[in-house]
Amino acid sequence: MAKKTLHVDNQYLVKNLDEGYQQAFQRLYDYLLKDTRKSDFDKSIILNIAIEECMEGMKTKKKPSLIIPKDVKEYVFKHSKGMTYKQMKQKLRNQDYEKIEIGSIWLVFAISIVLFFFKNLIIEKYLINLWIDSLVACIAFVIVFQNIKIKYRIIERYNFGNFYKKIDIITILACVVIKLATSSNFDITYLLLVIHFFITKKKMKPQFENVI
């Protein structure tokens, strides 16, 4: 059975903490991992507050127990609301919007490369040769997979609905059909992906702005 884990934004920063602070953070992480009442987003907010406070505590040479007390329940209660909670929520919201925006740009280019290779595979006409073109397409596919995974995780976090999955499927299917129906590799699929990018961006931006 796979060990249960919790996605924590900016968790890579924990590596910059000294051993005492890492142990204190781990206690808090383990406690929140078992908490079934809070959402994963709320848990990530509290843990990100802890990361910032631990880094500040290291600078001022405070003991880890003064930042994250051994009774982590009290710490969680304190940071489950209030101004610090609200500010961290807005910070993570802004990070998520940037991730989706940058990831969507990568998706336009990566999907275009995969579709381009797909067409060349059918007509057996490659830019360099089958192996090199396949390698480039595989890298592009990994980029597509990773960015879609991040995109849907963020969409699910904020309960933005199924609109984005539907328009993604429709756009990709339309691109595949166009690739199959046209004789040339130079068609309107790239334009469709760009239009898809701007439609999703226009709809998603006000949704993020409403997250308080």
Side-chain angles (χ1 to χ4, degrees):
M1 185 176 178
K3 184 180 178 181
K4 187 180 177 182
T5 58
L6 172 66
H7 174 80
V8 182
D9 302 85
N10 308 309
Q11 192 169 358
Y12 67 94
L13 293 173
V14 176
K15 295 178 181 179
N16 298 329
L17 302 175
D18 63 29
E19 186 178 354
Y21 277 102
Q22 286 190 23
Q23 290 174 354
F25 178 86
Q26 190 63 46
R27 281 202 324 274
L28 179 61
Y29 177 93
D30 291 341
Y31 175 83
L32 287 170
L33 191 62
K34 298 173 184 175
D35 192 333
T36 57
R37 294 170 297 174
K38 295 187 181 302
S39 68
D40 286 353
F41 189 29
D42 281 336
K43 294 174 184 179
S44 185
I45 292 169
I46 295 168
L47 288 166
N48 271 269
I49 293 171
I51 290 171
E52 288 195 352
E53 290 187 347
C54 284
M55 293 183 76
E56 187 62 32
M58 277 180 58
K59 290 179 183 177
T60 55
K61 301 187 183 302
K62 289 182 179 178
K63 291 182 178 180
S65 58
L66 294 176
I67 304 298
I68 302 178
K70 291 187 177 181
D71 182 10
V72 292
K73 185 177 180 180
E74 179 185 339
Y75 185 89
V76 170
F77 178 78
K78 176 184 176 183
H79 293 298
S80 293
K81 55 186 177 180
M83 186 57 65
T84 304
Y85 172 89
K86 185 176 179 180
Q87 289 173 345
M88 182 55 70
K89 185 176 183 179
Q90 290 175 340
K91 180 179 178 179
L92 296 184
R93 175 204 67 183
N94 294 340
Q95 284 184 4
D96 284 337
Y97 179 72
E98 288 175 6
K99 285 177 186 176
I100 286 222
E101 189 170 34
I102 294 170
S104 296
I105 294 171
W106 274 107
L107 280 171
V108 170
F109 290 109
I111 292 174
S112 296
I113 292 171
V114 172
L115 289 171
F116 194 86
F117 172 75
F118 174 69
K119 180 68 175 184
N120 285 344
L121 190 63
I122 292 173
I123 63 177
E124 296 183 347
K125 186 178 180 181
Y126 309 106
L127 285 178
I128 301 175
N129 60 53
L130 174 60
W131 303 111
I132 294 177
D133 285 16
S134 297
L135 177 62
V136 173
C138 286
I139 294 171
F141 182 80
V142 170
I143 293 171
V144 171
F145 178 79
Q146 289 296 333
N147 281 284
I148 284 180
K149 185 179 175 182
I150 292 169
K151 178 180 178 180
Y152 290 160
R153 175 177 55 75
I154 293 172
I155 288 170
E156 185 179 349
R157 164 180 277 182
Y158 297 104
N159 298 312
F160 284 168
N162 293 323
F163 170 81
Y164 300 102
K165 285 186 179 180
K166 290 177 181 177
I167 195 172
D168 286 352
I169 292 170
I170 291 169
T171 303
I172 291 173
L173 285 177
C175 288
V176 171
V177 170
I178 290 169
K179 284 294 182 187
L180 290 172
T182 56
S183 56
S184 172
N185 220 331
F186 298 96
D187 48 48
I188 64 168
T189 52
Y190 183 77
L191 178 61
L192 280 178
L193 291 169
V194 172
I195 292 171
H196 168 272
F197 167 77
F198 283 108
I199 289 173
T200 54
K201 180 180 179 181
K202 185 176 180 180
K203 183 173 177 62
M204 194 175 287
K205 188 174 182 180
Q207 286 183 299
F208 269 106
E209 289 172 348
N210 289 331
V211 177
I212 300 173

